[in-house]
């Protein structure tokens, strides 16, 4: 539940804000980067579908399907960088489905 935090000085409110901030934000990751990091070869559309599956949606494809833009909800504070997006794609794809290579 949101709470308004107020700072008082001399009996007057000098600053206030609402916490927690429950807004979504956008993050981007290159499709080639995700494929390379995970060791798979998924299409941009397949990645978009997987992102929606793990609550990183609605996902969009940009720059002729070369970049994936995801919507990060406030409940996913673990998504900070493109590598985090790639990790979630790997989880949604299934680590057991990744072919082992040397």
């Amino acid at each position: 539940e949101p709470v308004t935090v107020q700072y008082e000085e001399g009996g007057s409110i000098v600053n206030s804000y609402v916490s927690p901030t429950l807004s979504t934000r956008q993050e981007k990751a290159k499709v080639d980067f995700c494929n390379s990091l995970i060791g798979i070869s998924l299409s941009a559309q397949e990645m978009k579908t997987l992102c929606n599956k793990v609550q990183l949606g609605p996902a969009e494809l940009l720059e002729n399907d070369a970049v994936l833009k995801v919507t990060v909800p406030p409940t996913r504070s673990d998504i900070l960088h493109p590598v985090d997006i790639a990790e979630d794609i790997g989880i949604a794809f299934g680590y057991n489905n990744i072919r082992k290579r040397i």
Side-chain angles (χ1 to χ4, degrees):
E1 180 174 316
V3 175
T4 301
V5 179
Q6 298 178 333
Y7 293 97
E8 291 185 19
E9 193 173 293
S12 309
I13 297 172
V14 294
N15 190 12
S16 68
Y17 63 92
V18 177
S19 181
T21 304
L22 298 176
S23 59
T24 61
R25 59 189 170 79
Q26 307 289 310
E27 291 291 335
K28 295 178 184 176
K30 292 183 178 178
V31 172
D32 288 344
F33 170 77
C34 293
N35 274 325
S36 173
L37 189 67
I38 303 167
I40 56 178
S41 183
L42 293 178
S43 71
Q45 186 60 47
E46 288 172 310
M47 284 189 189
K48 178 181 170 184
T49 300
L50 291 174
C51 284
N52 289 330
K53 181 178 177 181
V54 292
Q55 299 176 358
L56 292 180
E60 297 177 51
L61 297 173
L62 307 173
E63 300 177 26
N64 294 322
D65 295 350
V67 175
L68 186 65
K69 181 169 97 172
V70 299
T71 303
V72 182
T75 55
R76 294 299 312 271
S77 59
D78 60 316
I79 306 295
L80 302 173
H81 308 286
V83 70
D84 300 320
I85 297 169
E87 177 186 24
D88 271 27
I89 290 169
I91 290 168
F93 180 75
Y95 285 138
N96 291 334
N97 297 322
I98 299 172
R99 296 179 84 191
K100 294 177 185 171
R101 295 186 269 175
I102 296 178

